[in-house]
Amino acid sequence: GASLRRIIREARVRAVSERSVVRTSLQAFMEPIAENDQILKLFLREGSVGSPELRAAVERQLVFFEDELEIDLRRFAELRNHRLEEPHLAARATTRIVFAMATRSLDLPPAERTRLVEETVVMLRMILLGARAFRSTHGETERPPSSKRKRSPRHQIGRAHV
């Protein structure tokens, strides 16, 4: 968890200073895979095929990342004065696509990994553009039970601001 959180933190820092938040964040996440980071590779593999306990631990980390990404998406939308529907679903879709893509990329040669990153950038942009354009007819959907835990004050961002 700590290694993966460090990677995510670095991606956030780089994303703020770069033009393409999606591309920069994804590249920051993929660099340790290219550098043969065994902890990240273990995390990705065990999240798909590990024991029930390891899969549950990976799921907890993914929910943590979804929560963090939701906060970032809300902040970016607010800063840019954009509307953003269902930010928790956009964060969940993004996290799950990146996890699946990263797992798939583990054994790919560098050229194929680069192609997969480019495809994933397009997918993630489509999700974000869709979250801006989507008009929910029923208000925000219910958050899944795994995300209904009590949050710290830094997680308290009102939904009405987006």
Side-chain angles (χ1 to χ4, degrees), residues 80-150:
R80 293 188 171 107
N81 205 24
H82 288 158
R83 216 172 77 49
L84 186 66
E85 286 285 321
E86 308 284 357
H88 66 283
L89 291 178
R92 182 172 175 78
T94 299
T95 302
R96 300 306 164 138
I97 285 174
V98 169
F99 182 81
M101 179 278 307
T103 302
R104 184 166 178 267
S105 76
L106 289 174
D107 299 318
L108 292 177
E112 287 184 50
R113 189 178 300 133
T114 299
R115 181 190 53 74
L116 187 60
V117 166
E118 293 306 314
E119 288 177 2
T120 305
V121 166
V122 172
M123 288 183 230
L124 299 179
R125 285 183 177 153
M126 292 170 90
I127 289 169
L128 295 176
L129 288 171
R132 279 197 247 152
F134 185 75
R135 300 262 184 225
S136 176
T137 57
H138 306 315
E140 278 196 56
T141 60
E142 183 76 13
R143 290 182 59 85
S146 61
S147 296
K148 286 188 172 181
R149 63 187 183 279
K150 183 169 174 56

Side-chain angles (χ1 to χ4, degrees), residues 1-114:
S3 176
L4 197 52
R5 288 182 186 192
R6 177 185 47 76
I7 293 166
I8 300 300
R9 200 171 29 255
E10 288 173 14
R12 285 172 131 174
V13 169
R14 284 174 52 181
V16 169
S17 65
E18 305 261 344
R19 189 171 158 256
S20 173
V21 173
V22 172
R23 179 177 306 284
T24 304
S25 298
L26 189 56
Q27 287 171 337
F29 184 78
M30 293 301 293
E31 283 172 4
I33 293 172
E35 295 167 1
N36 209 20
D37 183 322
Q38 296 303 314
I39 293 172
L40 181 58
K41 287 182 175 186
L42 176 69
F43 175 83
L44 293 169
R45 283 200 169 98
E46 293 301 320
S48 300
V49 298
S51 69
E53 294 81 15
L54 284 172
R55 286 195 316 269
V58 169
E59 179 64 23
R60 283 190 299 276
Q61 288 301 308
L62 289 173
V63 169
F64 171 80
F65 297 136
E66 289 165 9
D67 290 346
E68 293 293 309
L69 181 56
E70 180 183 353
I71 291 166
D72 288 347
L73 291 175
R74 288 177 181 278
R75 286 181 181 154
F76 279 127
E78 196 171 300
L79 285 172
R80 293 188 171 107
N81 205 24
H82 288 158
R83 216 172 77 49
L84 186 66
E85 286 285 321
E86 308 284 357
H88 66 283
L89 291 178
R92 182 172 175 78
T94 299
T95 302
R96 300 306 164 138
I97 285 174
V98 169
F99 182 81
M101 179 278 307
T103 302
R104 184 166 178 267
S105 76
L106 289 174
D107 299 318
L108 292 177
E112 287 184 50
R113 189 178 300 133
T114 299

